């Protein structure tokens, strides 16, 4: 993704991205946060958002909760259209491939996600849509990838 990155227009997400950058990737003590850059499905522009994650093997597990809204977040729709994404964990940025978790994977991973961020359980009660989990796997497995 070579063009200038466009950060989320949502004020609290944009502030979270700034804190991520200012702290070298540790905006919230005790939380695992990353920056996800997708390709805009209509604009083709790089779009960046901040998300919490849990690890499951080599994958970074992301939750497309949109804070319990009745619509999927734009970043999720973008990666459905173009699954090649960039993740930044701490100071390390690397290419990854993202895909929705299968129903069986989501059933196994959801308890891990809720344990890491209990608000995700509440989000499920505020919407009728199924909140997808996403598995983002680094494109090149190397020893230098962050955990």
């Amino acid at each position: 993704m070579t063009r200038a990155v466009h950060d989320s227009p949502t004020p609290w997400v944009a502030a979270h991205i700034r804190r991520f950058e200012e702290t070298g990737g540790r905006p919230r003590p005790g939380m695992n946060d990353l920056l996800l850059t997708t390709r805009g499905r209509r604009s083709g522009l790089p779009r960046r958002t901040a998300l919490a994650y849990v690890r499951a093997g080599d994958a970074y597990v992301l939750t497309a909760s949109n804070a319990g809204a009745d619509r999927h977040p734009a970043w999720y729709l973008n990666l459905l259209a173009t699954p090649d994404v960039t993740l930044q964990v701490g100071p390390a940025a690397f290419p990854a491939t993202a895909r929705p978790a299968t129903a069986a994977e989501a059933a196994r991973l959801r308890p891990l996600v809720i344990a890491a961020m209990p608000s995700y359980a509440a989000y499920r009660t505020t919407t009728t849509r199924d909140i997808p989990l996403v598995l983002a796997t680094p494109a090149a497995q190397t020893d230098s990838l962050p955990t």
Side-chain angles (χ1 to χ4, degrees):
M1 296 186 186
T2 58
R3 291 191 262 177
V5 175
H6 297 267
D7 288 343
S8 172
T10 305
W12 68 268
V13 177
H16 190 82
I17 293 168
R18 282 192 303 277
R19 278 193 311 276
F20 187 99
E21 291 179 327
E22 291 166 358
T23 63
R26 286 287 175 207
R28 297 184 293 172
M31 291 297 300
N32 291 324
D33 293 305
L34 59 72
L35 298 181
L36 169 72
T37 304
T38 60
R39 174 82 47 207
R41 65 196 177 283
R42 292 187 293 251
S43 69
L45 298 173
R47 304 286 185 184
R48 184 167 63 172
T49 194
L51 299 166
Y53 71 89
V54 297
R55 289 297 301 263
D58 293 336
Y60 293 81
V61 182
L62 312 174
T63 304
S65 67
N66 205 14
D70 286 329
R71 66 187 187 290
H72 293 307
W75 64 262
Y76 177 73
L77 300 174
N78 289 344
L79 71 79
L80 290 178
T82 305
D84 297 324
V85 300
T86 299
L87 300 181
Q88 182 177 343
V89 179
F94 49 92
T97 302
R99 66 169 178 83
T102 65
E105 289 168 331
R108 180 176 52 84
L109 295 170
R110 191 161 275 114
L112 298 173
V113 170
I114 291 171
M117 190 137 179
S119 60
Y120 288 136
Y123 293 158
R124 294 181 75 200
T125 67
T126 64
T127 184
T128 57
R129 74 178 172 94
D130 183 41
I131 296 177
L133 296 183
V134 171
L135 302 177
T137 305
Q141 299 294 325
T142 69
D143 293 336
S144 63
L145 289 177
T147 58

